Amino acid sequence: MKILLVNPPRSPENKILECAPAEAKHFIHKKLIGPPLGLLTVAAAVKDFDVELIDLKGEYDLHPDGPALAEIMKGYLETIQPDIIGVTFIASEFYAGIEIFRAAKAYNPNILTVAGGLHTVLSLQDFHLPEVDVVCPGQSADMFREVVIAHAQQKSFDHIGGLYINTSEALSPTKPPRAPWNAARENFIMPQRDMLKRWISTYVVGGRPEPVTYLFTSLGCPYECSFCSIWPQFDKRFYQRRLESIIEELKQLDDYKIVRFADANTIVDVNFISQLIDRIHEEGIQKEYVMDIRFDTTVKHPWLIEKMAKAGLKVVICGFESFRDEELKKYNKDSSAGLIEEAIHIFHQNDIMLRGNYVIPNDYTLADFEAMSDYASAHRVVYAGYTILTPMPGTIFYNEIKQDIIDHDLSKYNFFNSVLKTTLPLEQFYESVGKLWLIKKGSDVI
Ligand code: B12
């Protein structure tokens, strides 16, 4: 049984970049890099089978002018000859993922196509397509394993709980309930990082030569920001990993000097993180860390930020979202904009490079852009990000606003395109967002 797991390429849609003034283009995010942690976990769950993983983001980073997706896939299909192909899905990569399945079916209609990942949880109905055979929503490495075993034994999948099997009428759920599965704790699976050697040189950030890897210390989020996909993915639950399991993973990361924590918020349980830092220290683990930390948490626990900085915390990604309390309230951010300034101060005091991210709503007028620009100029951070408030399918914000969506092209759902009608003429809106990217402290690009 030959299994092929595929990380789809990025969506090329980026209107902010297209419309930005020339001098801002350098600073605008063109791509996020990093290994596909979810697929590495799925790969580990079936490692006793013949499994290969291809990272098409990495592949296009190695060969930006490489062949088109269908052609690349044809090449891989010919060499690997898979029986099963699994793809991970987020909204903006939906069409690319489906194209991968289409290429597989065109090559050999008997290849079983299995979809997984965030978008299968948040927008299951999108997968009712002839190219898709099975959908495994959720933290589903175990389900995938059962699918592989059943397929190898030429059995049906009806006995596997939590699956959706595609029929011409509908995506049909299997009958047995989903067995309890805690992917952060008792069912944690160590990601199979050695599968990505070919692309490791592409996992670099901030002009540094060393590759970065991702690691999660928790899954889900206890906050409920209206635009966010993460807490709906985990049904509002928060799962903290076991401390020693994180230490064990960190100790295995000899190939990586820089570790990016893939948590929604790394500091939720203050004592847990404090103990984690103590253990990192005790074990003599020397790495540089990149983490997502909330600005209100930072202001509440400055001692912890100082302690983390001493242990190697170098870059923090902080969702400022807005400089206005009424907007934060609308987003259900559960925080006050007045705290941003103090948080910036705490990070800078500890020599932490801060990426502060603002989200720009579609109704911003020139006066709003001016106010945003004034605020950001007075509160500069090393790397600043200004993306567009986007109703990701399956979020609260999507449900609130879905009647106003004017663009349903999922490849635009990556925070760099407006899918809602803007108050300003569209080009002017994008240009104004693009211009904001010039407001930052340093000259680096992350
Ligand atoms: C790591 C990560 C990345 C990595 C790797 C992703 C990849 N596939 O290459 C990189 C850096 C490349 C990345 C890029 C982007 N990302 Co990203 N990323 C994350 C992050 C931080 C963690 C995801 C993760 O690893 N979770 C842990 C793993 C174990 O869980 P998992 O991925 O869900 O996988 C499990 C299950 O879903 C399932 N599963 C997953 N895939 C499959 C496949 C099969 C076949 C099966 C059976 C099961 C299965 O099993 C896995 C194990 O249990 C999340 C935020 C978060 N904290 O969750 C954002 C997140 C997923 N990213 C997001 C976005 C938008 C992007 C970008 C578009 C951002 C941008 N504007 O550029 C880019 C896309 C590429 C680009 N334009 O550069 C959004 C997605 C929103 C949405 N609804 O679509 C998130 C939720 C961030 C956010 N706050 O909104 N990202």
Side-chain angles (χ1 to χ4, degrees):
M1 188 61 30
K2 187 102 205 196
I3 305 160
L4 174 60
L5 298 172
V6 188
N7 189 23
R10 305 176 179 96
S11 157
E13 297 289 342
N14 190 335
K15 276 286 177 195
I16 302 181
L17 183 65
E18 248 174 69
C19 303
E23 66 275 21
K25 286 190 196 282
H26 173 65
F27 301 114
I28 295 170
H29 246 184
K30 279 130 205 114
K31 58 185 184 190
L32 273 185
I33 65 92
L37 193 54
L39 276 187
L40 291 176
T41 305
V42 175
V46 289
K47 66 179 175 208
D48 49 332
F49 288 86
D50 191 354
V51 52
E52 288 206 40
L53 198 171
I54 55 178
D55 181 0
L56 293 179
K57 292 184 185 70
E59 194 59 31
Y60 279 113
D61 286 344
L62 287 178
H63 306 291
D65 299 321
L69 181 55
E71 214 178 312
I72 291 202
M73 280 313 301
K74 194 160 170 273
Y76 276 114
L77 291 161
E78 276 164 2
T79 23
I80 297 173
Q81 299 283 338
D83 301 291
I84 300 181
I85 182 161
V87 173
T88 188
F89 284 87
I90 61 170
S92 60
E93 293 160 9
F94 176 75
Y95 303 123
I98 296 299
E99 199 181 330
I100 291 165
F101 285 161
R102 202 174 304 130
K105 290 288 187 194
Y107 179 72
N108 173 1
N110 293 327
I111 296 175
L112 182 80
T113 56
V114 185
L118 174 76
H119 196 68
T120 65
V121 182
L122 297 191
S123 210
L124 179 69
Q125 68 287 354
D126 290 353
F127 293 85
H128 185 230
L129 293 172
E131 296 85 351
V132 182
D133 291 325
V134 179
V135 185
C136 295
Q139 300 296 304
S140 52
D142 58 321
M143 278 153 65
F144 184 69
R145 182 174 171 78
E146 288 194 57
V147 167
V148 169
I149 293 170
H151 197 56
Q153 296 171 348
Q154 298 180 345
K155 285 191 181 150
S156 89
F157 305 131
D158 296 341
H159 63 286
I160 307 170
L163 276 191
Y164 287 80
I165 299 171
N166 216 353
T167 68
S168 51
E169 292 79 45
L171 277 172
S172 155
T174 49
K175 291 227 168 61
R178 171 87 168 94
W181 183 263
N182 188 337
R185 291 184 79 83
E186 57 274 18
N187 304 116
F188 174 77
I189 299 173
M190 197 63 79
Q192 191 75 24
R193 290 189 171 78
D194 58 356
M195 306 208 76
L196 293 176
K197 287 259 187 286
R198 175 174 162 79
W199 302 282
I200 196 168
S201 65
T202 70
Y203 305 137
V204 287
V205 280
R208 296 279 300 271
E210 307 95 334
V212 181
T213 195
Y214 279 60
L215 167 159
F216 72 84
T217 71
S218 60
L219 292 173
C221 184
Y223 296 91
E224 296 178 20
C225 300
S226 62
F227 53 75
C228 187
S229 307
I230 301 169
W231 63 269
Q233 182 189 7
F234 291 92
D235 206 15
K236 304 187 186 179
R237 297 211 176 87
F238 175 74
Y239 303 89
Q240 184 80 71
R241 238 176 103 185
R242 293 198 167 109
L243 206 153
E244 289 311 317
S245 154
I246 303 170
I247 294 293
E248 189 194 331
E249 188 168 0
L250 281 169
K251 281 161 83 178
Q252 291 181 14
L253 303 181
D254 289 341
D255 289 342
Y256 304 93
K257 170 99 182 98
I258 306 171
V259 181
R260 159 90 158 94
F261 284 20
D263 313 316
N265 279 309
T266 293
I267 309 179
V268 169
D269 181 337
V270 172
N271 289 332
F272 179 90
I273 295 299
S274 179
Q275 283 168 30
L276 176 66
I277 299 300
D278 289 339
R279 288 287 296 121
I280 286 176
H281 193 66
E282 271 167 34
E283 291 290 338
I285 299 169
Q286 300 219 332
K287 308 239 174 256
E288 294 180 13
Y289 303 99
V290 182
M291 299 180 196
D292 282 70
I293 298 178
R294 281 173 65 100
F295 61 82
D296 51 358
T297 308
T298 304
V299 171
K300 246 196 204 151
H301 310 286
W303 60 272
L304 185 55
I305 304 298
E306 190 183 336
K307 183 170 174 176
M308 291 166 90
K310 284 187 183 140
L313 176 58
K314 284 281 180 289
V315 178
V316 166
I317 296 133
C318 199
F320 294 161
E321 331 302 3
S322 174
F323 60 104
R324 290 174 170 149
D325 276 338
E326 63 273 22
E327 282 170 359
L328 291 182
K329 199 158 176 216
K330 225 165 47 187
Y331 306 154
N332 202 26
K333 177 79 184 175
D334 197 18
S335 194
S336 156
L339 302 175
I340 295 176
E341 183 168 359
E342 205 178 328
I344 294 176
H345 179 67
I346 294 167
F347 287 126
H348 286 171
Q349 250 186 343
N350 287 292
D351 283 333
I352 289 169
M353 290 188 278
L354 184 56
R355 170 176 266 289
N357 280 329
Y358 296 94
V359 291
I360 309 297
N362 57 310
D363 61 359
Y364 262 24
T365 60
L366 282 180
D368 292 313
F369 274 107
E370 215 174 289
M372 169 80 254
S373 166
D374 288 347
Y375 182 86
S377 302
H379 299 86
R380 286 181 194 257
V381 294
V382 179
Y383 312 108
Y386 306 88
T387 52
I388 296 172
L389 179 63
T390 306
M392 290 294 177
T395 60
I396 293 274
F397 181 47
Y398 178 89
N399 288 328
E400 279 169 8
I401 203 102
K402 61 175 180 249
Q403 66 288 351
D404 296 336
I405 295 178
I406 55 167
D407 196 336
H408 292 273
D409 174 352
L410 284 176
S411 56
K412 298 195 177 125
Y413 286 64
N414 61 358
F415 311 132
F416 285 84
N417 308 281
S418 180
V419 297
L420 297 165
K421 193 168 167 11
T422 51
T423 301
L424 283 178
L426 196 54
E427 292 271 314
Q428 196 181 10
F429 174 79
Y430 286 134
E431 196 190 338
S432 307
V433 179
K435 230 196 257 170
L436 290 172
W437 285 77
L438 285 166
I439 310 169
K440 61 209 288 295
K441 204 173 158 70
S443 56
D444 292 355
V445 185
I446 195 173

